[in-house]
Structures are given as structure tokens and as C-alpha cells.
Amino acid sequence: MRPLRSGRGTDGPLPPTLPLGTVDLAYRLAARGRPLPLPLVFAFDGPAPSLDSVRARIAERAPRIPALNYRPAQGAKTFRRVGGLAVERHVRELRLPEDTDGTATGRLLLSRPMTTGDGPLWDVWLVHGAAGGHLLCYRTDHTVQDGMGAVYAARALLDDRPDAQPAGQPGARPAPSGLAGVLGDIAAGFGVPTPKPGFDGPVGGRTGVCHVTVPLARLRGLGREHGATVNDVYLAALAGAVRTWHLKATGTVHPPLPVAVPMSVRAPGEEHAPGNRIVTARLLLPCDEPSPAGAVRLVAARLRRLKESRRRDAFRVLMASTPRGIGARIGVRLVNGSVVAGPASMVPLGAPLLHQGAPARWTAAYSGLANGVRCLVTLTSQHDTACLTVVHDENLPTADELPGLWLSALLELERT
């Protein structure tokens, strides 16, 4: 395994402290200083590896992965380097023989505190599930890593091929329309809330997790048929699922639903750097569109405008030029339960994680809820399988229907 870079493009000793970035501070504000769990779950068939073998690999590799050696300093706006990894605190084993689909594991990962003492805020769980299968779960604090950062860390920590990872996101010069779009998103964040009748209301505090998997080829095929991408199909089907879900519950059509779409700005060389390298864009899902094909066209057009205007780069430049405290408060407003229903993410892994010769069957990345958000949705893709995950507050008890309704929306789209 070659040495891993610190994120500044150089190898060598890690500095004792690093400043929290704007998005890191935003997550800290949103979670009120508490860790916000961000799990990455890899599901395997067949016999599980031994706990000792997993611990041995992690003990060898973790000291060379910069993001795994820092934690937020208490009451400060910095990360501090933490030495002396106690692997028995960070790597644990659990038996959940009743967990057939990863949902019980998900609830545990989102509810159980990270008991790592004074060490960095991450852990790994080896979960023995149903029918002889097992899960390997990497969990971090969202203040320390975003979803793609967690993907890079998990691969470097657990994969037989630690360098088999997605490419970083090179920066580009923002277009004027991208800057205008970012300013429009900020204005919407501080303006009158958009009605979200299916998702507005109080937060209960307990969280549910549900998943469904589909062949990635199915989503790609639908994209080709409709001149769209996998992301377009995923979000259009999500709009259809929310439409059906709300109609079933109320008999009324849900208005267009504002969601926050995270976009990675983790550049090549920053794969293992601590902190969040993401920005968000506000997107209206066309839940009022009765035609599945029409929903795909609308979503594809909206995402195409985001890409062509280089909204990702515009937001990156704006955050870099804004004082961190102000930028963090803006970020908290943009992903707030009064402004958006929640994040709708897509996390691409590329090749499946390979651990001790066994490839992961499916993978799911998601996070806990904070800042008044009652629901978040993630599509995690690897090689030939995509996993849709819905994390929802207990006050949305029927939100566990959304994965099945999402599959139904895909079927409707196939029939058009």
C-alpha cells in the first residue's frame, strides 16, 4: 500500500492542528456540537472474517490515513491530531441474526454513541447478520468527513485494493449563471419557506432506516431510453414515489418538493484530508408531474442547468471567499427542515469493496438527521448494484414505504 497523502499533495508529518472548514462548522452548528453519524455499510454473502483479522488490517493502515487521525477540538474551530490508536475501541463485533436487510444495523449505527474515548471519531463494526451473511460498517462524524471522504477512508482502511477509488473532482472556473444560481439558493434559504406538506412538522428524535437495491444496469438503461443520467432517473423516480405516497395518505397532489443536492468538491490530492469538501444546490422535485417521463425530462433539464452553469464551482469559490462563520450560518440555512425536505444524495463507489477476497454485494452510505430535517435519501452505486436508502424521523412513520414506491415509479417509467 503506497503512502496516503494528507490532502495538500505531500507526504510527511501531519500538523498538530488544522482549521475546520466552512462546511465542517455548518455541520457542527446543525448538530449542536454533537457527532452526527455518517455510516458506510458494505453487505457481504458468506462467512465473515475474524475480528482479529479486521483489527490487524486497520491497525496497520489507519495511522497512514490523515482523516482518521484528527477529531474536532473541544470548543474550538480546529481539528486536533490524535495519536495512539486503540484499535479495540474502534473496531467491534456484533451479532444481529434477525437483520435480513441491514435496517437493524442502520438504526444501531445512527443511535449508538461513538465510544472512542479521546481518539478520533470513527469506528468499524463487523456485524453478523441473517442467513450467514455479514456487514462491514465504517462510521465517522459528519463534521470530520463528507460522504466521498468516507468512501476514500473506508477503501483505504478495508479494501484489498486500497487504491481502487473514484477520481477526485477537479475544479473549474464558475460561470456567471452559476454564481446567480448560488445567490438564488441563498435567497431561498433566507426567504419564506416553500410548503412541503408531506415533510413539514415537528421532529420526534428517533430515526428509521430502510433500503432497496436494484441492478445499476436498469437505471442506466432507463437513462438511455429517456436521454437522461442515472442521477436524473433516481431523482425523477423519487419525485414519483413522493407523489404516490402523499396521494395515498391525503388524496392530494404534493407540490414540487425542494431538496438539497450535495456535490463533491474534493479535488485530486484531497482524498484523505479531514473535513467536508461538499457544496449543495437546491432542486425542486416535480412531485406534481403525473407523467413519469415528464418528471425525468424536468429533472434532467434542471440538473443539466446546474452542470452547465458550473454551480458546484460557483459555490466552492463563494465559500472560499466568505468568512467561515458567516458561510457556516448560510450553510445551516440552506439545509434546514424549514427550507428543504432534506438532502437527496448520490454516492458513486465504482468497484465493489473487496475484503479478504470477498466483494461487497451492495453498499449504502447515509447519515443521521439534524437541523429540523425529517427525511434524507441516498442512492449509493457500485459496479452493478444501486442501493436506495431512506432515513426518516419517527414522525414520518410511513416513510418506510418510499423505497417500494420508488421501485414502482421505475416500473411505471419502464412502461412509458
Side-chain angles (χ1 to χ4, degrees), residues 253-284:
V253 173
H254 200 288
L257 182 69
V259 296
V261 178
M263 299 177 289
S264 176
V265 291
R266 191 170 289 268
E270 296 181 338
E271 290 88 349
H272 303 290
N276 285 263
R277 266 81 168 163
I278 56 171
V279 295
T280 62
R282 178 186 171 93
L283 180 73
L284 285 177

Side-chain angles (χ1 to χ4, degrees), residues 179 182-183 186 313-322:
L179 290 169
V182 170
L183 295 176
I186 294 173
D313 298 288
F315 210 148
R316 173 182 54 80
V317 169
L318 185 64
M319 288 294 99
S321 60
T322 302

Side-chain angles (χ1 to χ4, degrees), residues 22-300:
T22 297
V23 182
D24 310 330
L25 288 172
Y27 274 113
R28 201 167 199 188
L29 286 172
R32 300 181 180 179
R34 297 186 296 270
L36 181 63
L38 192 166
L40 190 56
V41 177
F42 302 93
F44 296 85
D45 291 325
S50 69
L51 179 63
D52 286 345
S53 69
V54 177
R55 282 178 168 172
R57 177 171 287 191
I58 288 172
E60 175 194 358
R61 294 183 178 185
R64 291 182 283 163
I65 304 171
L68 303 188
N69 291 275
Y70 286 90
R71 66 177 289 155
Q74 187 67 32
K77 296 181 179 180
T78 60
F79 295 112
R80 64 179 177 88
R81 191 183 66 221
V82 182
L85 176 69
V87 71
E88 68 279 358
R89 284 185 171 180
H90 289 268
V91 188
R92 295 186 174 89
E93 189 172 30
L94 187 68
R95 297 186 184 277
L96 291 174
E98 76 284 359
D99 190 7
T100 59
D101 57 4
T103 57
T105 298
R107 289 193 297 271
L108 178 142
L109 293 172
L110 293 180
S111 62
R112 182 169 292 193
M114 292 185 186
T115 53
T116 59
D118 293 329
L121 293 173
W122 60 267
D123 53 22
V124 170
W125 290 83
L126 172 59
V127 181
H128 300 264
H134 64 282
L135 305 168
L136 271 176
C137 312
Y138 169 76
R139 182 175 64 157
T140 186
D141 173 16
H142 218 322
T143 300
V144 182
Q145 286 183 295
D146 53 65
M148 287 309 300
V151 168
Y152 291 127
R155 280 208 183 277
L157 200 59
L158 298 169
D159 205 319
D160 292 355
R161 311 151 302 178
D163 293 331
Q165 54 192 3
Q169 180 64 44
R173 185 185 297 274
S177 58
L179 290 169
V182 170
L183 295 176
D185 286 355
I186 294 173
F190 286 87
V192 177
T194 303
K196 309 177 297 300
F199 299 88
D200 288 332
V203 173
R206 292 173 61 87
T207 303
V209 183
C210 45
H211 309 285
V212 71
T213 60
V214 297
L216 190 54
R218 184 179 179 191
L219 300 180
R220 288 175 175 149
L222 283 169
R224 285 193 299 270
E225 289 176 17
H226 294 272
T229 67
V230 167
N231 202 24
D232 299 334
V233 171
Y234 148 53
L235 291 172
L238 179 59
V242 170
R243 174 185 172 82
T244 303
W245 176 67
H246 193 67
L247 269 171
K248 179 180 175 182
T250 68
T252 61
V253 173
H254 200 288
L257 182 69
V259 296
V261 178
M263 299 177 289
S264 176
V265 291
R266 191 170 289 268
E270 296 181 338
E271 290 88 349
H272 303 290
N276 285 263
R277 266 81 168 163
I278 56 171
V279 295
T280 62
R282 178 186 171 93
L283 180 73
L284 285 177
L285 296 183
C287 303
D288 56 339
E289 171 56 56
S291 163
V296 172
R297 286 193 295 271
L298 287 169
V299 169

